[in-house]
Amino acid sequence: FYTMPKIIDLSKEIKYNKEDPFFMRVKIKHKSHKVSNLLVKYFVGLPQRLFPKRFEGWADDTIKHMGVHATTHIDAPWHYAPTVNGKPAKTIDQMPLDLCYGDGIVIDMSNKKELEPILKEDIEKFIEDNTLEIKSGNIVLIRTGRDKYIGTKSYAEMGTGMTREATEYLIDLGVKVMGIDQWGWDLPLKYQAKLAKENNDSEYFWNGHMIGAEKEYYHMEQLVNLGSLPLKGFKVAVFPLKIMGASAAPARVVAIFE
């Protein structure tokens, strides 16, 4: 007897949003059946009388602008730096496929205040308090609850963020793939810049990402629906588009309950 697995979508919709930063806005052109009708006839060289009676053309769509980091995506080591511990960093097409599917673990950091960083101690305490065991090959999802900001200007400007130490802690536990349900992995970019200037310290900016220049790992950004998941007991699938030489790729990320 076979039961179909339950699947929960963890990916945001790909669509235009005027509140996104200008360099991240997605632009898609939708072509209706009627618009493409003449083009189809010209392309295949078939007279009207030989098309099926119900054929009105085919619908088509063109992505006119979409950066690889503009929607739910997974970053490759190449995004963080050209090398990892002195060796050439992998681009997204070089990501081993066996890393793209594994047992999921949710770490709930939704209690964090706006612009308050997620520390190594926060991760350790949550794991201990909830008797979680993180193993090599697990895909760890950091829940912040900031997917509630999607579609608003606050999405890129508010939230918490993973620190270098917290990220490194998960890597050292054997985690190669992790993800977060907010705009970026770190604290919001403008706030990072503010901290760097206030403290005259170059280590504040892109703090969480930069551990990737020393230890290889991949992370997902702009996930959704992490609040609908238990802390464990499910699989995560995150297969990126195979874009040659790219720093990241859009992915349809899902949780699977077998």
Side-chain angles (χ1 to χ4, degrees):
F1 180 74
Y2 176 72
T3 303
M4 290 291 290
K6 177 183 177 182
I7 298 177
I8 295 179
D9 195 355
L10 307 180
S11 312
K12 64 183 280 198
E13 293 177 333
I14 299 176
K15 63 181 182 180
Y16 173 77
N17 174 38
K18 67 178 182 179
E19 298 296 346
D20 285 338
F22 72 92
F23 59 93
M24 300 283 280
R25 287 175 196 151
V26 174
K27 296 181 181 178
I28 302 174
K29 183 176 181 180
H30 301 288
K31 304 184 188 74
S32 69
H33 303 82
K34 291 182 179 179
V35 167
S36 67
N37 190 293
L38 292 175
L39 177 62
V40 173
K41 292 174 182 176
Y42 173 79
F43 176 70
V44 300
L46 190 66
Q48 177 66 45
R49 63 185 176 82
L50 294 179
F51 278 99
K53 288 186 173 66
R54 297 184 61 187
F55 182 78
E56 297 182 26
W58 53 54
D60 193 16
D61 311 274
T62 301
I63 298 175
K64 299 180 72 67
H65 180 273
M66 187 177 81
V68 293
H69 303 270
T71 185
T72 301
H73 64 279
I74 182 165
D75 288 336
W78 178 254
H79 179 51
Y80 321 135
T83 60
V84 179
N85 199 22
K87 298 180 181 179
K90 289 185 177 69
T91 51
I92 200 63
D93 53 296
Q94 297 170 326
M95 181 180 183
L97 290 180
D98 59 354
L99 297 182
C100 298
Y101 182 76
D103 291 321
I105 298 286
V106 172
I107 295 178
D108 191 347
M109 292 286 111
S110 59
N111 63 314
K112 282 290 181 176
K113 298 176 182 178
E114 301 298 344
L115 307 178
E116 180 185 6
I118 297 170
L119 307 175
K120 173 187 174 183
E121 297 80 51
D122 298 322
I123 303 292
E124 287 179 312
K125 185 176 187 305
F126 188 85
I127 290 172
E128 181 179 353
D129 289 350
N130 292 277
T131 60
L132 295 174
E133 182 181 5
I134 295 183
K135 302 177 181 178
S136 178
N138 285 166
I139 296 178
V140 173
L141 308 176
I142 308 297
R143 182 192 172 206
T144 70
R146 269 49 175 216
D147 51 341
K148 68 183 180 182
Y149 289 136
I150 289 175
T152 73
K153 188 176 181 180
S154 295
Y155 189 45
E157 298 180 355
M158 300 298 288
T160 174
M162 289 286 283
T163 58
R164 173 191 175 92
E165 293 76 18
T167 307
E168 184 176 24
Y169 175 68
L170 291 176
I171 296 171
D172 289 346
L173 289 177
V175 179
K176 289 289 190 180
V177 178
M178 48 194 86
I180 200 164
D181 61 347
Q182 62 176 31
W183 191 79
W185 185 250
D186 294 73
L187 291 168
L189 288 174
K190 290 182 179 180
Y191 185 66
Q192 293 175 53
K194 179 176 180 289
L195 290 176
K197 288 186 286 187
E198 288 177 352
N199 293 276
N200 194 31
D201 189 338
S202 63
E203 294 303 309
Y204 276 95
F205 190 75
W206 236 35
N207 182 264
H209 279 72
M210 288 308 299
I211 187 60
E214 299 170 23
K215 299 183 178 182
E216 184 176 279
Y217 87 105
Y218 301 76
H219 70 227
M220 297 168 278
E221 297 173 329
Q222 304 187 33
L223 297 172
V224 300
N225 294 333
L226 297 190
S228 64
L229 301 178
L231 300 184
K232 59 184 179 179
F234 59 94
K235 299 283 188 179
V236 175
V238 47
F239 291 96
L241 295 179
K242 196 174 184 179
I243 306 174
M244 297 297 290
S247 62
R252 188 68 176 266
V253 186
V254 299
I256 303 170
F257 295 82
E258 296 177 337

